[in-house]
């Protein structure tokens, strides 16, 4: 599938990438987002408790929570059924 990603695909990318703690900058770079859009997506995911925020020595990082695993799994299953392939990062 080519073209613009849906919000659901972007959420999946962020959550999969953040299985290990990641900085805001690394998330927007890896997921190919601008700062404003990245902030909106990360805020949505933290509000839903799919991402947790950790601050260590004034550095903030984001990590996927247990609650997000169901979303990752369901999205992956749906994507496979629709496109006959697993979701992947845009890059």
């Amino acid at each position: 599938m080519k073209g613009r990603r849906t919000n659901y695909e972007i959420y999946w990318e962020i959550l999969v990438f953040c299985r290990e703690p990641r900085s805001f900058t690394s998330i927007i770079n890896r997921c190919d987002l601008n700062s404003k859009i990245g902030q909106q997506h990360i805020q949505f995911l933290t509000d839903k408790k799919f991402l947790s925020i950790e601050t260590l020595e004034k550095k903030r990082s984001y990590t996927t929570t247990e609650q997000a695993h169901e979303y990752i799994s369901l999205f992956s299953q749906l994507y496979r059924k629709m496109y006959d392939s697993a979701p992947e990062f845009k890059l």
Side-chain angles (χ1 to χ4, degrees):
M1 186 176 117
K2 299 209 190 259
R4 295 184 74 98
R5 296 172 292 170
T6 66
N7 285 341
Y8 303 110
E9 290 170 293
I10 296 169
Y11 298 149
W12 176 87
E13 288 180 356
I14 292 170
L15 293 172
V16 168
F17 184 62
C18 290
R19 286 180 174 159
E20 310 243 338
R22 306 290 184 172
S23 69
F24 175 77
T25 303
S26 67
I27 295 168
I28 62 168
N29 287 336
R30 178 61 181 98
C31 297
D32 195 25
L33 303 169
N34 67 41
S35 291
K36 182 179 177 184
I37 299 295
Q39 286 174 334
Q40 292 170 351
H41 283 74
I42 288 170
Q43 185 64 52
F44 176 81
L45 292 170
T46 55
D47 289 348
K48 293 292 181 186
K49 308 235 183 303
F50 285 0
L51 282 180
S52 65
I53 304 169
E54 299 173 20
T55 305
L56 183 61
E57 297 178 11
K58 297 183 182 180
K59 292 183 182 181
R60 184 177 273 194
S61 64
Y62 299 88
T63 308
T64 302
T65 66
E66 282 293 317
Q67 289 177 260
H69 293 293
E70 182 179 17
Y71 174 83
I72 293 169
S73 176
L74 291 172
F75 177 80
S76 298
Q77 290 173 32
L78 177 64
Y79 194 94
R80 275 190 214 102
K81 286 183 182 199
M82 291 180 70
Y83 301 109
D84 295 323
S85 67
E88 354 177 289
F89 282 95
K90 181 180 176 191
L91 302 177

